[in-house]
Amino acid sequence: MAKQNGLEWVARTFGLEPRWTVEPNIAKVELLARKHLQLEQNACCNVTFYAQGAFNKLYKIKTETRRSLMRVTLPVDPSNKTNSEVATITFVRQTTDIPVPQIITFDNSSENELGFEWILMEMLPGETLRTRWRKLSEDAKRDLVKQVAKYQAQLCQNYLPGIGNIFVDQVVLPMSKQLLRRTVAKTKYEVLFVDRLVSMIFFWGDHIAQDVSRGPFENSQDWIRARLSLVLTDQERILKTSDNKDDIENSEDAKEIVEKLLKLLPSVFPSNTGTPELNVLFHDDLSMQNILVDDHEKITSFIDWECVSALPLWRACELSVFLKGRDRNEEPKRAEYAPDNGEDDAGGLTRETHDNEGVNSLYWEHLLEYELTMLRGLFLKEMEMVMPEWIEISKRSAVQADFEEAVQNCDNGWRTRKIKSWLDALENSRHWDLRRSFLE
């Protein structure tokens, strides 16, 4: 079993959460930074805690000549997650115009001074799009969406051999399919290649130790079947061990949904078509929090490339996360909203970063919905110009995309009823938009 020193999975109200059992030693972060930035002993090197994600802690490193970040990671998928994140960023830098940080160096082993895997990378300027959104001009927002469309098209035009993650050929990894180990790019780390998936469903909790295929997968059916098998195992375990009435009821619903998805899987994703599936790198969490924008209203970076995988092209032909939301076709009238009540808005924007200018946060929520509705139309028009086939694939793969949404949410008790209703309709050769229904 893989070593996961420093990691503990803790049961919370809505499931398991990863927790650090040991805090990274900031003095050792500084020692590593000095060593790999090749600083003199008396040179300035200021290291401060910067931010934290689900699996990482980031440290800002400031010297006289540069600013860098050290990304220290929990061993949720030892070696593989760090290796793949480095390879993915390297691939994006080499094959697209997408601005991403340069990797200075990394260690995908915890056998080092720090006791954790880490990546040292340049720190790019800018604030998150979420923070800057209200300050941006209308033209800047339109230009930004056009730029995202261009970047998304570039990723969709670089085909990869299999469903999996990109790795750098620095360590020996178990290879299930030598065919898929074809070089996808030359780098200073020798080569990049596609191998097993590094994805939350495959390492969450005890999933990392379960005997299940992790890829690389040759087709969508095999990829989805592997994920459903993990969910099914979870539900069967709960039904055998739990005496909580609500947990049992939720697991029975989830098990029923999984079994129906498995039954319908071959008809929605036939594996014997004779035509190889096209796979591309797809950033499935391109939220406002993961886009950096500078004072000139320009994109400076897409960030958070961990667990970003090579997925089927049909999966990549969808809106970026930051553009998704409820439709609102009429611009809200500010005068019709109540005064500010002092609460943060529903989108998670806080008073520390946003001034509600005396009007209730509901106005800002509705305004954002309206803006995004208009920008979604712009995005689709732009994609039709830069990559017409993206639009065609998106339209004809609507059932597959909804099926994938059902797979992602099959054990989400809040969405059980809608998924069951959608599956019943699908069994009777009817189809309605499941993804849109989740936004209502």
Side-chain angles (χ1 to χ4, degrees):
M1 184 174 175
K3 290 183 179 180
Q4 294 183 285
N5 297 333
L7 167 66
E8 180 182 26
W9 291 97
V10 180
R12 300 296 189 195
T13 303
F14 296 105
L16 294 174
E17 290 182 5
R19 186 171 72 181
W20 300 75
T21 61
V22 179
E23 285 294 316
N25 187 319
I26 198 167
K28 292 182 178 179
V29 172
E30 180 182 342
L31 287 174
L32 285 168
R34 285 183 174 278
K35 173 182 176 181
H36 293 286
L37 295 176
Q38 299 180 340
L39 299 176
E40 298 291 338
Q41 186 174 359
N42 60 348
C44 174
C45 181
N46 183 33
V47 179
T48 55
F49 177 79
Y50 183 68
Q52 181 170 345
F55 312 123
N56 306 283
K57 291 180 184 286
L58 274 71
Y59 297 87
K60 181 179 177 180
I61 301 163
K62 184 178 180 181
T63 70
E64 293 178 355
T65 59
R66 70 197 300 180
R67 293 185 180 185
S68 311
L69 285 175
M70 180 167 286
R71 187 174 169 96
V72 182
T73 186
L74 282 171
V76 288
D77 192 348
S79 179
N80 296 316
K81 189 174 80 68
T82 298
N83 185 303
S84 178
E85 185 174 354
V86 169
T88 302
I89 291 173
T90 303
F91 177 80
V92 171
R93 282 180 63 87
Q94 293 195 346
T95 60
T96 74
D97 298 326
I98 299 173
V100 292
Q102 181 178 1
I103 303 297
I104 299 169
T105 189
F106 71 101
D107 191 340
N108 60 334
S109 165
S110 60
E111 302 296 325
N112 55 49
E113 304 98 308
L114 190 58
F116 290 100
E117 301 168 33
W118 52 265
I119 303 172
L120 182 61
M121 62 181 75
E122 69 172 328
M123 184 176 184
L124 294 175
E127 295 179 289
T128 67
L129 179 59
R130 177 179 291 278
T131 300
R132 294 196 59 87
W133 184 260
R134 293 184 192 172
K135 306 172 190 175
L136 296 179
S137 66
E138 184 177 337
D139 285 344
K141 291 173 182 176
R142 291 173 61 85
D143 289 344
L144 182 146
V145 167
K146 290 180 180 179
Q147 196 67 43
V148 170
K150 171 190 169 185
Y151 292 151
Q152 194 158 346
Q154 289 179 353
L155 286 175
C156 285
Q157 290 164 346
N158 283 289
Y159 300 138
L160 293 166
I163 300 169
N165 276 57
I166 304 174
F167 289 86
V168 297
D169 193 9
Q170 190 203 39
V171 297
V172 177
L173 296 170
M175 298 304 302
S176 56
K177 288 180 171 59
Q178 290 296 326
L179 176 65
L180 295 182
R181 203 177 191 270
R182 296 200 301 269
T183 300
V184 296
K186 296 288 185 180
T187 78
K188 71 176 183 178
Y189 307 112
E190 297 181 13
V191 297
L192 303 180
F193 59 94
V194 174
D195 198 79
R196 56 180 282 166
L197 270 168
V198 178
S199 176
M200 284 193 285
I201 183 64
F202 287 100
F203 62 64
W204 202 262
D206 68 352
H207 288 186
I208 192 70
Q210 290 189 26
D211 184 17
V212 63
S213 175
R214 300 170 189 275
F217 299 102
E218 294 182 351
N219 56 66
S220 298
Q221 184 182 139
D222 291 346
W223 168 50
I224 293 174
R225 190 182 300 281
R227 292 156 61 201
L228 288 173
S229 71
L230 285 166
V231 180
L232 187 60
T233 300
D234 286 345
Q235 307 318 311
E236 290 173 343
R237 181 179 66 246
I238 292 170
L239 292 172
K240 288 180 180 178
T241 61
S242 179
D243 56 5
N244 183 286
K245 182 179 178 181
D246 290 337
D247 288 346
I248 292 172
E249 183 178 339
N250 289 337
S251 287
E252 287 174 342
D253 286 337
K255 186 172 183 288
E256 179 185 341
I257 290 172
V258 170
E259 289 171 344
K260 188 166 287 190
L261 286 167
L262 286 168
K263 176 184 174 183
L264 292 169
L265 182 59
S267 61
V268 179
F269 296 98
S271 60
N272 56 350
T273 61
T275 304
E277 288 191 25
L278 299 177
N279 307 294
V280 298
L281 193 68
F282 176 55
H283 196 317
D284 61 354
D285 190 23
L286 195 59
S287 65
M288 286 192 179
Q289 198 64 25
N290 288 332
I291 300 174
L292 300 186
V293 180
D294 65 14
D295 293 337
H296 304 291
E297 303 186 324
K298 303 297 183 184
I299 296 174
T300 60
S301 184
F302 285 1
I303 61 174
D304 199 6
W305 291 89
E306 67 175 357
C307 302
V308 172
S309 307
L311 298 178
L313 182 56
W314 62 262
R315 175 71 177 88
C317 291
E318 70 167 44
L319 293 169
S320 297
V321 169
F322 84 95
L323 281 172
K324 294 180 179 180
R326 294 178 181 150
D327 286 332
R328 184 171 293 275
N329 294 303
E330 291 187 14
E331 184 173 2
K333 296 178 175 59
R334 182 168 179 157
E336 296 179 357
Y337 289 80
D340 186 11
N341 59 12
E343 297 178 357
D344 296 337
D345 74 13
L349 302 178
T350 67
R351 321 244 127 225
E352 296 177 3
T353 56
H354 289 83
D355 177 8
N356 280 351
E357 300 175 10
V359 66
N360 190 282
S361 62
L362 186 63
Y363 164 75
W364 296 105
E365 180 185 342
H366 289 174
L367 179 61
L368 178 60
E369 289 177 355
Y370 170 75
E371 290 177 316
L372 293 180
T373 300
M374 299 300 105
L375 291 172
R376 281 194 289 274
L378 174 65
F379 177 87
L380 294 175
K381 287 181 180 178
E382 194 69 18
M383 287 302 295
E384 191 141 29
M385 286 192 293
V386 299
M387 190 179 176
E389 60 269 34
W390 189 98
I391 299 292
E392 297 169 10
I393 294 168
S394 178
K395 288 179 178 178
R396 70 170 182 256
S397 61
V399 174
Q400 287 92 333
D402 277 343
F403 194 97
E404 160 67 15
E405 191 76 11
V407 171
Q408 288 189 49
N409 290 276
C410 62
D411 57 351
N412 182 339
W414 300 102
R415 294 180 167 176
T416 295
R417 183 174 298 179
K418 284 186 176 180
I419 294 175
K420 283 185 174 183
S421 178
W422 183 83
L423 286 170
D424 288 343
L426 188 62
E427 280 190 308
N428 290 286
S429 301
R430 301 193 311 274
H431 174 245
W432 46 267
D433 193 334
L434 178 65
R435 289 163 293 161
R436 178 57 55 189
S437 76
F438 283 166
L439 299 172
E440 295 172 354

